[in-house]
Amino acid sequence: MIIRPETEADIPAIDRINLDPGLLHDGPLPMSDLHERIATSFQAQGLMATLGAELTLVSEGEVHIALPFSERISQQHGYVHAGAITSILDSACGYAALTKAPSGCEVVTVEFKINLLRPAIGDRFLAIGRVQNAGRSLTVCTGEVQAFSADGDTPKVVALMQATIANLRP
Amino acid sequence: MIIRPETEADIPAIDRINLDPGLLHDGPLPMSDLHERIATSFQAQGLMATLGAELTLVSEGEVHIALPFSERISQQHGYVHAGAITSILDSACGYAALTKAPSGCEVVTVEFKINLLRPAIGDRFLAIGRVQNAGRSLTVCTGEVQAFSADGDTPKVVALMQATIANLRP
Amino acid sequence: MIIRPETEADIPAIDRINLDPGLLHDGPLPMSDLHERIATSFQAQGLMATLGAELTLVSEGEVHIALPFSERISQQHGYVHAGAITSILDSACGYAALTKAPSGCEVVTVEFKINLLRPAIGDRFLAIGRVQNAGRSLTVCTGEVQAFSADGDTPKVVALMQATIANLRP
Amino acid sequence: MIIRPETEADIPAIDRINLDPGLLHDGPLPMSDLHERIATSFQAQGLMATLGAELTLVSEGEVHIALPFSERISQQHGYVHAGAITSILDSACGYAALTKAPSGCEVVTVEFKINLLRPAIGDRFLAIGRVQNAGRSLTVCTGEVQAFSADGDTPKVVALMQATIANLRP
């Protein structure tokens, strides 16, 4: 016989994967500390400097990373390589997840999926990562990369991501 | 020399998939030509040079790209950034798809999903892209990245990808 | 009546994507025709009837499908199986793509990725598929499934999808 | 300064997300118990009975689920709906993960991605889920669905999946 659960508390659930009971009552860090912590972490990412990326916004549940065009990040047709677009969007989603993580936690990307909607043509790209659901140990983010041209046209969305990020004890 | 496209109309694009029926009976290029063509394309990818990646194998339906560790491609804990791992695996899958594409076609990544199984720790990384199914206009590849340590231990798989690549008219 | 195809040659297929150039200037069908066409197609999906799903909204770029809870669609803990949630969301995304497809085209799902955010507990579920980008032959949709409880609480998002759908000649 | 970690033990890592230290030394269940436990769980999945699916193999790290064709699981062109194909493959991957989980754990699907390679035409379908990497709390599986025709032709792979499954304390 199948017992239909009455409430979430009756059943095993993704959002009750348990890292450390001690962490559960701490809540996320104050945003000012978080901004500093994320900026410090960003500066420690060798790849972001190599690509020329810049952290431009940290708010609760949303992080932005900008990337100017350069030939150093191109693919064979001269526009930006999907790998560079993916790199800044992965970092933006990861740091967005960190703004919602229990204090003391690190985050690590478990997996993501990205659709490349059109060629990444532009003078500047902006990756936006947003938290959609923050559980105890897993956070789901969505993100997009917008391409800006020199002539000030409306930016175009060139990529969409859906990502899973894990909270880890330090 | 890389010609940077001025507008989307100058370049092959996902949203202009429309294979020439004449191509459908041509079949793939002979492998020797393909190897040269892929090597030339690889050298035109600014990002691969920036990361320090190297094309190491081109065979029918399978392409390998190697990447030595350097701090320039690290994330904040010092190991290799998921974005760098993703970049070489995306290129490996895309070129694997190209080995099965009708002659005269270009390829472009439509989307992919990657699982990061463990930290990308190692002295050298090898991305392997393999064609699983090649249709007229869409090819599905799977891929993995193996991490090699200096002490000669068995390599560990650090990432798994499943990708969709489109054939485009030149 | 459903005609079961005898061979792949009888049916539209992913690996026969090859839009008729003549279609490209036609634009999408008027919405009233589309609604009827989608309702007819929906009624021909044996699985939707088997699950107990109902088409509840067709608008340009967005389609809703509702699913009441029943034990027939449960998983082992008694709540709704991820496969049922995925089925209605896949159909919602596919039909949303169809509202943007050139007239005369059929659509077929190329691939999708779904995150299951929490247990699918509720009396009724609503899948919402939305077009994010409609190209000539590929459309990218995002979607979510909301769970509604009997006591009128705010619905909870239980799943997020990102999907790629292809336009096919009939 | 970036400290490059010497070993995995020096760093936060996905495969050290920790559920409950007590579980870590238990190891997986003996296979005979597991087979019974999985068969019992499978019979409790209302959806599997509704679709007409059958559990056909449970081995360490691999599970098979079969599904005969019926109009009750069709889509609008008469072949099998992607949602039914996805449902059996999701269950196969989830149970494959369970064969590698610490004893006492339940599993739940975090997310998956599926490519539908060709129309699901056949008399019988076989979903095969395989564990690729089993960490403490997250397991990554890949899977495929094969289509068998009545005339005994070689089965065709109609779908490929890559999935993330979480271990949960009961």
Side-chain angles (χ1 to χ4, degrees):
Chain A
M1 195 186 68
I2 301 167
I3 308 297
R4 182 175 170 198
E6 290 302 307
T7 72
E8 289 194 15
D10 297 341
I11 49 162
I14 266 183
D15 55 3
R16 292 206 303 282
I17 301 178
N18 198 348
L19 292 176
D20 179 344
L23 294 175
L24 300 178
H25 306 290
D26 288 352
L29 275 179
M31 189 53 56
S32 56
D33 291 352
L34 253 186
H35 191 295
E36 188 178 321
R37 183 172 155 208
I38 288 175
T40 303
S41 172
F42 187 88
Q43 286 165 358
Q45 291 199 339
L47 183 64
M48 290 297 110
T50 299
L51 297 176
E54 186 186 356
L55 181 70
T56 58
L57 179 85
V58 175
S59 64
E60 193 183 337
E62 182 167 329
V63 166
H64 295 190
I65 295 175
L67 180 68
F69 175 83
S70 80
E71 290 189 3
R72 295 165 50 251
I73 57 174
S74 70
Q75 43 83 282
Q76 71 275 20
H77 300 113
Y79 46 92
V80 177
H81 195 288
I85 293 297
T86 301
S87 297
I88 58 170
L89 194 45
D90 170 45
S91 281
C93 287
Y95 286 130
L98 186 57
T99 69
K100 294 283 202 176
S103 70
C105 274
E106 298 281 338
V107 293
V108 64
T109 303
V110 172
E111 64 80 41
F112 59 78
K113 178 254 206 294
I114 187 167
N115 274 80
L116 303 155
L117 305 181
R118 55 171 56 83
I121 300 175
D123 281 277
R124 188 168 162 274
F125 300 87
L126 185 67
I128 301 175
R130 291 189 186 96
V131 172
Q132 296 298 331
N133 190 70
R136 281 193 192 177
S137 61
L138 294 177
T139 299
V140 175
C141 294
T142 57
E144 66 182 45
V145 174
Q146 301 174 349
F148 292 78
S149 63
D151 53 15
D153 288 349
T154 307
K156 291 185 176 176
V157 176
V158 297
L160 288 179
M161 180 177 280
Q162 190 168 316
T164 310
I165 291 104
N167 295 330
L168 297 178
R169 285 189 302 178
Chain B
M1 194 186 70
I2 300 167
I3 306 298
R4 184 176 170 197
E6 289 302 307
T7 72
E8 289 193 18
D10 296 340
I11 49 160
I14 273 181
D15 60 0
R16 290 204 305 282
I17 295 182
N18 186 17
L19 292 182
D20 180 343
L23 293 176
L24 300 177
H25 307 290
D26 287 353
L29 275 179
M31 189 53 57
S32 57
D33 291 352
L34 252 186
H35 191 294
E36 188 178 321
R37 183 172 155 209
I38 288 175
T40 302
S41 172
F42 186 89
Q43 287 165 358
Q45 291 199 340
L47 183 64
M48 291 298 110
T50 299
L51 298 177
E54 186 186 357
L55 181 70
T56 58
L57 179 86
V58 176
S59 65
E60 194 184 337
E62 183 167 330
V63 167
H64 295 190
I65 295 176
L67 179 68
F69 175 83
S70 80
E71 291 189 1
R72 295 165 50 251
I73 57 174
S74 70
Q75 42 83 281
Q76 70 275 20
H77 301 112
Y79 48 93
V80 177
H81 195 288
I85 293 297
T86 301
S87 296
I88 59 170
L89 194 46
D90 170 45
S91 280
C93 286
Y95 286 129
L98 187 57
T99 69
K100 293 285 202 176
S103 70
C105 274
E106 298 280 341
V107 293
V108 64
T109 303
V110 173
E111 63 81 41
F112 58 78
K113 178 253 206 293
I114 187 167
N115 275 79
L116 303 154
L117 306 180
R118 56 170 55 84
I121 300 175
D123 282 276
R124 190 170 161 273
F125 300 86
L126 185 67
I128 300 174
R130 291 189 186 96
V131 172
Q132 296 298 331
N133 190 70
R136 281 194 192 174
S137 60
L138 294 176
T139 299
V140 175
C141 293
T142 57
E144 66 181 46
V145 174
Q146 300 174 348
F148 293 77
S149 63
D151 53 14
D153 288 349
T154 307
K156 290 186 178 178
V157 176
V158 297
L160 289 178
M161 180 177 281
Q162 190 169 316
T164 310
I165 291 105
N167 294 331
L168 298 178
R169 283 192 303 179
Chain C
M1 196 186 68
I2 300 167
I3 307 298
R4 183 175 170 199
E6 290 302 307
T7 72
E8 290 194 15
D10 297 341
I11 49 161
I14 274 180
D15 60 358
R16 291 206 303 282
I17 296 183
N18 186 17
L19 293 180
D20 181 341
L23 293 175
L24 300 178
H25 306 290
D26 287 354
L29 275 178
M31 189 53 56
S32 57
D33 291 353
L34 252 186
H35 190 294
E36 188 178 323
R37 184 173 156 210
I38 288 175
T40 302
S41 172
F42 186 88
Q43 287 165 358
Q45 291 199 339
L47 183 64
M48 291 298 109
T50 299
L51 298 176
E54 185 186 357
L55 181 69
T56 57
L57 179 85
V58 176
S59 64
E60 193 184 336
E62 182 167 330
V63 167
H64 295 190
I65 295 175
L67 180 69
F69 175 83
S70 81
E71 290 189 3
R72 295 164 51 251
I73 56 174
S74 70
Q75 43 84 281
Q76 70 274 21
H77 301 112
Y79 46 93
V80 177
H81 195 288
I85 293 296
T86 300
S87 296
I88 58 170
L89 193 45
D90 171 44
S91 280
C93 286
Y95 286 130
L98 187 56
T99 69
K100 294 284 203 176
S103 69
C105 274
E106 298 280 339
V107 294
V108 64
T109 303
V110 173
E111 62 81 39
F112 59 77
K113 178 254 206 291
I114 187 166
N115 274 80
L116 303 155
L117 305 181
R118 54 170 58 83
I121 300 175
D123 281 276
R124 188 169 162 274
F125 300 87
L126 184 67
I128 301 175
R130 291 188 185 98
V131 173
Q132 296 298 331
N133 190 70
R136 282 193 191 175
S137 61
L138 294 176
T139 298
V140 175
C141 293
T142 57
E144 66 182 46
V145 175
Q146 301 174 349
F148 293 78
S149 63
D151 53 14
D153 288 348
T154 307
K156 290 185 177 177
V157 176
V158 298
L160 289 178
M161 180 178 281
Q162 190 169 316
T164 309
I165 291 105
N167 295 330
L168 298 179
R169 282 191 305 180
Chain D
M1 194 185 71
I2 301 167
I3 307 298
R4 184 176 170 197
E6 290 302 307
T7 73
E8 289 194 14
D10 297 340
I11 49 160
I14 266 183
D15 56 1
R16 291 205 306 281
I17 301 179
N18 198 349
L19 293 176
D20 178 344
L23 294 175
L24 300 178
H25 307 290
D26 288 353
L29 277 178
M31 190 53 57
S32 56
D33 292 351
L34 252 187
H35 191 294
E36 189 178 321
R37 183 172 155 209
I38 288 175
T40 303
S41 171
F42 186 88
Q43 287 165 359
Q45 292 200 337
L47 183 64
M48 290 298 109
T50 299
L51 298 176
E54 186 186 357
L55 181 70
T56 58
L57 179 86
V58 176
S59 65
E60 193 184 337
E62 183 167 330
V63 167
H64 295 191
I65 296 175
L67 179 69
F69 175 83
S70 82
E71 291 189 1
R72 295 165 51 251
I73 57 173
S74 70
Q75 42 83 281
Q76 70 274 21
H77 301 112
Y79 47 92
V80 177
H81 196 288
I85 294 296
T86 301
S87 297
I88 57 170
L89 194 45
D90 170 45
S91 281
C93 286
Y95 287 130
L98 187 56
T99 69
K100 293 285 203 176
S103 70
C105 275
E106 299 280 339
V107 294
V108 63
T109 303
V110 173
E111 62 80 41
F112 59 78
K113 179 253 205 293
I114 188 167
N115 275 80
L116 303 155
L117 305 181
R118 55 171 57 84
I121 300 176
D123 282 276
R124 187 169 162 274
F125 300 87
L126 184 66
I128 301 174
R130 290 188 186 97
V131 172
Q132 296 298 331
N133 190 70
R136 283 191 190 176
S137 61
L138 294 176
T139 299
V140 175
C141 293
T142 57
E144 67 182 45
V145 175
Q146 301 174 349
F148 293 79
S149 63
D151 52 14
D153 288 348
T154 307
K156 290 185 177 177
V157 176
V158 297
L160 289 179
M161 180 178 281
Q162 191 169 314
T164 310
I165 291 105
N167 295 330
L168 297 178
R169 285 190 302 178

